[in-house]
Amino acid sequence: MATPQDLKIAILGAGMGGLTTALALAEKGFKYIDVYETASDLGFVGAGIQLAPNMARVLDRLGVWQGIEAEAVNIEETSVRVGATNGELAHVDLKYIEKTYGYKHMVGHRASLAGNLYQGCLRHPDAIKFHFSTTVSKVQTFSPRPTFTVTPRDASQPAHDVTADVLFGADGIKSITRAAMLDELAADADPTTAATAAVAVKDTQQAAYRIMIHQDQVKHDAELRALLASNQVIRWIGHKRHIIAYPVSQHTLYNLSTTQPDSNFAAATNATYTTRGSKAAMREVFADFCPLVQRLLSYVPEGDVCEWKLRVHEPLPTWVLGSVALLGDACHPTLPHLAQGAAQAVEDGAVIAVVLARLPNTEPASVHRALKAYEQVRKTRAYALVEMAAASGRALHLGDGAAKAERDKQFAALRQGQGPVPDKWADAEVQREIYGFDCIQEAEERFDEYFA
């Protein structure tokens, strides 16, 4: 008799969500996991990433947290400052995080997170097979067994169809899987209103720079060396713009991530909505920020400025159709203001493994119900955090006026130990909601209720 572990699993995309899903399933004993990735390898663009306790909890259970933690930096405090003056609006001590949630709030390099997840997958060579340089061009069927078309980059290998028992679309903001699902749903409802990927994707009119400064570049600047040696996140805020900065990679790199109006980016230039940015244009965006920020930006090597378009999409009616499910940016892309994008994709992968391992049988109807249980554990929480991130960004980017005055009054009250933090990432109540949630425990405890 077939067990859930005998199911043939296909995962489209080897980002954080796809890697976590593959590893979590292999750790549960699943034996046939194929991961399809367009890129030729896991060459992630170098940028910092926040490793919050809710993410660390999952990674620890998957056996990869120790390696990530060893390369990361523990964040003990955060400072929110006026971009123009460097005057401090708020200071929040984060030392309580580990005692409260069981894990430190750390920051690291995206390559470290991806690399350790990948190495975790390589512990299961018989269960997980990676297909790099392979594009999925079409999802053809959703049930009872999903079928999709893959096209290897090697022209000597023909395009061919693949059939799986379960298909996961971890293929990002420009998800082929999501587009096909929306088309199918719309066709079932009304053939004249078939959806496309463009219908779901929404341009936020915001862009971001991702910057790394190496310790050797600032070795003669004592103030910047102190920033690099610190265990502090700093956020400089201004009208419609902010910079968040912190050390990573054992204090050898200083990471700066910005958000600003999308005035330099005429159009998305490739599948990841990234392009090489202009150092001069970047410095002009933050020309009215304080001298400390100006010095930091001056150290950025010409040609090392990478710019992202920030895009999201409207909440989807469902993440599941037949034996196909979406995860990560394919179904809940978010603005970066809560630093939870990757963490939420990791939660997705962990929950998927729980619900499939709990299957009473391998019938397609049962697979569908298990995937709907995954959706019930994850969907409301993910969309709540997407909205919270957007709201936090709106508060941080206020220009002069009554709303900004009220926000700054809240910052002033915070300095007296009263009230919430307008920067929701640093607010204790928000942290409790995000960091205190154990997605694996939630899925285990509520599976029977949701599966029924």
Side-chain angles (χ1 to χ4, degrees), residues 161-421:
D161 290 344
V162 176
T163 298
D165 294 308
V166 194
L167 171 63
F168 293 105
D171 45 350
I173 184 69
K174 296 185 77 173
S175 171
I176 291 291
T177 317
R178 183 187 68 244
M181 185 179 290
L182 291 173
D183 281 345
E184 186 79 6
L185 290 168
D188 287 346
D190 181 352
T192 67
T193 59
T196 65
V199 171
V201 175
K202 183 170 66 175
D203 196 331
T204 66
Q205 306 300 315
Q206 297 177 72
Y209 293 115
R210 299 288 185 261
I211 303 157
M212 287 284 192
I213 299 174
H214 193 272
Q215 62 182 358
D216 291 344
Q217 296 171 261
V218 298
K219 60 186 178 183
H220 301 301
D221 190 318
E223 189 175 16
L224 298 189
R225 287 204 317 271
L227 289 182
L228 189 57
S230 74
N231 292 77
Q232 181 183 59
V233 168
I234 300 176
R235 198 191 297 265
W236 288 280
I237 64 176
H239 180 41
K240 295 185 178 180
R241 296 159 297 153
H242 79 261
I243 299 173
I244 188 167
Y246 46 82
V248 298
S249 300
Q250 299 177 323
H251 298 276
T252 62
L253 295 169
Y254 201 62
N255 176 77
L256 293 93
S257 301
T258 77
T259 303
Q260 65 275 342
D262 182 15
S263 56
N264 299 314
F265 221 142
T269 55
N270 58 42
T272 55
Y273 294 107
T274 64
T275 189
R276 287 293 174 190
S278 158
K279 180 177 178 179
M282 174 192 69
R283 297 193 68 180
E284 179 62 27
V285 170
F286 297 99
D288 61 340
F289 274 38
C290 63
L292 177 59
V293 169
Q294 299 306 318
R295 288 215 314 285
L296 276 169
L297 298 181
S298 75
Y299 284 108
V300 179
E302 194 71 56
D304 278 10
V305 179
C306 196
E307 189 172 15
W308 268 257
K309 286 184 80 71
L310 297 180
R311 292 195 169 191
V312 295
H313 57 63
E314 298 293 345
L316 302 176
T318 183
W319 294 0
V320 176
L321 183 60
S323 297
V324 179
L326 304 172
L327 64 117
D329 281 356
C331 52
H332 52 77
T334 182
L335 292 172
H337 311 312
L338 285 180
Q340 276 289 306
Q344 291 307 295
V346 166
E347 287 192 9
D348 289 345
V351 171
I352 283 167
V354 170
V355 299
L356 288 188
R358 293 282 298 271
L359 276 169
N361 58 64
T362 58
E363 293 299 317
S366 293
V367 169
H368 176 74
R369 287 164 61 194
L371 295 180
K372 292 301 286 185
Y374 148 70
E375 181 184 81
Q376 285 190 268
V377 173
R378 295 289 306 129
K379 189 179 179 188
T380 299
R381 171 174 165 82
Y383 283 152
L385 297 190
V386 168
E387 177 50 38
M388 195 182 298
S392 189
R394 290 191 293 269
L396 292 173
H397 294 169
L398 291 169
D400 290 336
K404 178 177 179 294
E406 178 59 31
R407 181 203 69 189
D408 291 349
K409 188 185 299 182
Q410 290 182 13
F411 275 127
L414 178 66
R415 290 197 296 272
Q416 304 302 317
Q418 303 169 358
V421 187

Side-chain angles (χ1 to χ4, degrees), residues 116-156:
N116 278 278
L117 281 168
Y118 183 57
Q119 289 302 312
C121 289
L122 295 183
R123 296 197 310 255
H124 303 275
D126 295 332
I128 303 174
K129 183 176 181 181
F130 285 92
H131 307 264
F132 291 109
S133 301
T134 303
T135 300
V136 174
S137 55
K138 185 178 182 181
V139 178
Q140 298 185 29
T141 62
F142 293 84
S143 60
R145 300 184 71 216
T147 300
F148 54 97
T149 303
V150 299
T151 305
R153 192 177 303 169
D154 184 346
S156 67

